[in-house]
Amino acid sequence: MKSFLSLLFLSLAFGSTFAAEPVGHDHATVYQCPMHPWIKSDKPGDKCTICGMALVAATPADAAGAADPNLVTLTPAAASVTGVQTAEVRRAPLVRTLRVTGVIDDDDTRHRILAARVPGRVEKLFTNYVGAEVHAGDPLATIYSPEMLTAQRTYVERLRAGTTAFTASERSAARERLLELGLTEEEINILEHTLEPVAMVQVRAPMSGTVVSRAAYEGQYVQTNDRLFEIGDFSSMWFMFDAYEPDLAWLRPGQMVEVSTPSLAGRVLAAPIDFIDPNLNETTRTAKVRVVLPNGDRALYHKELATGRVRLEVPDVLLAPRSAVLQHGAEPIVFLQQADRAYLARRVQLGRVGDDTVEILAGLQAGDRVVTEGGLMLDGQAQLARAAITGEIPAHAHPAPKPEPVAADPDQGYAELKTLAFTAADAAALLAADDFAGYRQQLPAFRAALQAYLAADPAAMRGPLGEVQDALPDRDDLRSARRDFEPLSTALADVIRGRHLQHRESLHVYQCPMSPVLGTGRWLSRTARIRNPFFGSAMLECGEELK
């Protein structure tokens, strides 16, 4: 519709800009409307029955155009008005930048929890605050334990009695008991030389690192297996982020990731992907990705949020600018530059999409020049030309009534609709929490779930969800994202209610009586608490549940 209105405006402003000068009239001359070429007459002076404009004689240019209705030829004046620009189709690497959000965590392989091995009383703490740096073997606490005293006495008695009273296996069992209760080999050797049992047990650091948590206090009584300390190694940290299914095809171990955190303003850390979890989360359809970052200066903080940029590259493919591709329903087209200001509409087959370019699988070859600006105007002119040839009214001029959706099998597409419903509920929860970063992360899974459902249930494509299937573009602000979300969420909620999926899957449907776009917007929720995604914290509890 936009291309048609633009063409109408320019045609009104510049008259016969797109056509040659009229030829002389004769008895065989056909007259047609400049704006609605399918309105024709053989009488001069007649007017268009749609817009009231005077009909003009058909020109040789119109007849020439009939040979190929997909070919649009501009006059010099039209070319200056439309501002058509072109770019060359070329073979080059396809580049895409993936932006992710994750968390800085410590190395799981270098994380220890220290628990009490014997019951007793904490007599002394050597490390009494979280964040303390410790080295392997450092004492952390001393516990007074009668059970330890008894075990040492048993061992000493068996040493003193010698082999005549106790066998070697009995002495070995007493020694193993001391190791089990937490004595080190060095402490047992001291006991064997002094033969003086003590009731004190030293809790020592098993590795060098940072005290992450502390649950022990002087004078506290503890039981066996009570947690005392937790130690993590912060000399290297893990950047963990979630990768959605469509992105996993681009990612591989060894790719460099640029990581930024709020605590390191202006500083970017670069490290390769170390591991991609082969197990997908069934709810979010994501896999965990790990990047190991050196942290010798302790500049990275445990559990802080971070953002990452992954530069993804596919070498040597045929590329065209993304701005050159127009969508005709499910068919992408481009306008191919010809000689003398002529442009030919050409169907193309697309592959992967990059930041500024798109992979061309068929329809173009290297060296072709395609229109990157002004394509919508050319497309509108091509539609008018086809209408003039066939006599058919373009869909944008008089939209045909949409067919009613065909009643589908009750179970058709149910699994895909269920996944879409829960994905939409998660997206609504993120918007309600004002979590724009989290919502942007959820968007690829949301789009994928919607397309999967529309593909699984053809009748749904002709319904309300088919009308809003492209209504979730990437946005830079939370307000715009909410306005995009509302129509799709409302349409989905109506589909869910129509198929009673909310009752079968324990979902909740809520309605806001004053939503910003539709006035009455609806959304899905996993919980029974009203959390309005259209306003967030400004009007969090605005709405009511629909039964």
Side-chain angles (χ1 to χ4, degrees), residues 104 165 325 357 396 424 483-484 497:
I104 300 295
V325 181
T357 56
H396 55 63
R483 295 181 71 88
D484 293 335
R497 294 180 69 205

Side-chain angles (χ1 to χ4, degrees), residues 317-396:
V317 294
L318 188 63
L319 299 179
R322 288 179 62 175
S323 58
V325 181
L326 304 177
Q327 203 71 27
H328 267 210
E331 293 185 340
I333 68 164
V334 299
F335 276 90
L336 187 62
Q337 184 181 33
Q338 309 291 300
D340 299 326
R341 300 178 304 279
Y343 304 93
L344 180 65
R346 174 77 60 81
R347 290 185 178 90
V348 293
Q349 182 180 351
L350 305 181
R352 291 160 289 192
V353 179
D355 291 337
D356 303 309
T357 56
V358 60
E359 182 182 10
I360 302 296
L361 300 180
L364 295 174
Q365 58 185 3
D368 289 343
R369 295 197 68 84
V370 292
V371 174
T372 57
E373 291 189 24
L376 286 175
M377 184 63 65
L378 298 176
D379 187 36
Q381 179 67 5
Q383 291 185 48
L384 289 177
R386 284 191 290 273
I389 295 167
T390 63
E392 296 178 357
I393 300 176
H396 55 63

Side-chain angles (χ1 to χ4, degrees), residues 26 104 109 205 385 398 426 512:
D26 57 35
I104 300 295
T109 65
H398 290 285
D426 293 337
C512 173

Side-chain angles (χ1 to χ4, degrees), residues 410-478:
D411 293 326
Q412 185 170 10
Y414 183 85
E416 290 79 8
L417 181 59
K418 174 183 173 182
T419 300
L420 175 59
F422 281 104
T423 305
D426 293 337
L430 292 168
L431 289 176
D434 300 334
D435 185 358
F436 184 48
Y439 175 75
R440 291 184 64 177
Q441 275 195 305
Q442 179 78 352
L443 264 184
F446 197 178
R447 296 186 189 116
L450 176 59
Q451 294 303 321
Y453 169 59
L454 293 176
D457 187 356
M461 180 64 76
R462 300 188 294 274
L465 284 177
E467 298 177 2
V468 293
Q469 61 175 311
D470 298 322
L472 292 175
D474 291 325
R475 296 293 189 183
D476 295 325
D477 62 281
L478 182 58

Side-chain angles (χ1 to χ4, degrees), residues 169-189:
S169 62
E170 290 174 325
R171 290 196 304 274
S172 177
R175 192 176 192 277
E176 289 295 329
R177 176 60 178 162
L178 295 178
L179 291 172
E180 180 185 342
L181 294 178
L183 282 190
T184 64
E185 289 284 354
E186 182 181 359
E187 289 170 333
I188 293 177
N189 289 335

Side-chain angles (χ1 to χ4, degrees), residues 84-289:
V84 173
Q85 295 186 18
T86 62
E88 183 180 356
V89 178
R90 56 192 175 86
R91 298 197 69 86
L94 176 65
V95 176
R96 179 188 171 200
T97 302
L98 177 64
R99 293 172 174 82
V100 296
T101 302
V103 176
I104 300 295
D105 210 341
D106 66 329
D107 187 341
D108 264 0
T109 65
R110 299 279 297 164
H111 196 104
R112 299 290 186 274
I113 294 176
L114 278 70
R117 294 189 175 185
V118 292
R121 182 180 68 248
V122 178
E123 289 294 312
K124 184 174 179 57
L125 285 179
F126 297 96
T127 300
N128 56 8
Y129 64 94
V130 172
E133 295 288 336
V134 297
H135 296 89
D138 286 352
L140 303 179
T142 299
I143 298 177
Y144 170 77
S145 173
E147 185 172 330
M148 172 62 77
L149 180 62
T150 300
Q152 290 191 27
R153 283 174 175 170
T154 299
Y155 184 53
V156 168
E157 288 173 358
R158 294 182 179 183
L159 288 178
R160 285 174 173 167
T163 57
T164 57
F166 298 98
T167 64
S169 62
E170 290 174 325
R171 290 196 304 274
S172 177
R175 192 176 192 277
E176 289 295 329
R177 176 60 178 162
L178 295 178
L179 291 172
E180 180 185 342
L181 294 178
L183 282 190
T184 64
E185 289 284 354
E186 182 181 359
E187 289 170 333
I188 293 177
N189 289 335
I190 293 174
L191 177 63
E192 290 172 348
H193 285 85
T194 63
L195 300 179
E196 295 180 1
V198 294
M200 299 299 178
V201 179
Q202 293 277 3
V203 178
R204 298 180 180 275
M207 53 173 260
S208 299
T210 304
V211 176
V212 177
S213 68
R214 174 181 67 94
Y217 295 85
E218 290 187 359
Q220 173 185 353
Y221 281 87
V222 296
Q223 299 298 320
T224 304
N225 296 327
D226 282 356
R227 180 178 295 199
L228 302 177
F229 298 94
E230 190 173 353
I231 298 176
D233 183 3
F234 291 171
S235 62
S236 67
M237 304 294 281
W238 287 1
F239 172 53
M240 302 291 297
F241 66 88
D242 293 325
Y244 290 96
E245 283 183 279
D247 297 329
L248 290 174
W250 295 77
L251 296 174
R252 64 182 184 276
Q255 284 177 322
M256 296 300 294
V257 182
E258 296 179 348
V259 182
S260 303
T261 66
S263 63
L264 297 176
R267 182 177 169 188
V268 177
L269 304 176
I273 292 177
D274 181 66
F275 175 74
I276 301 175
D277 193 338
N279 302 297
L280 282 179
N281 183 304
E282 293 184 358
T283 302
T284 63
R285 310 307 301 169
T286 60
K288 290 288 185 184
V289 181

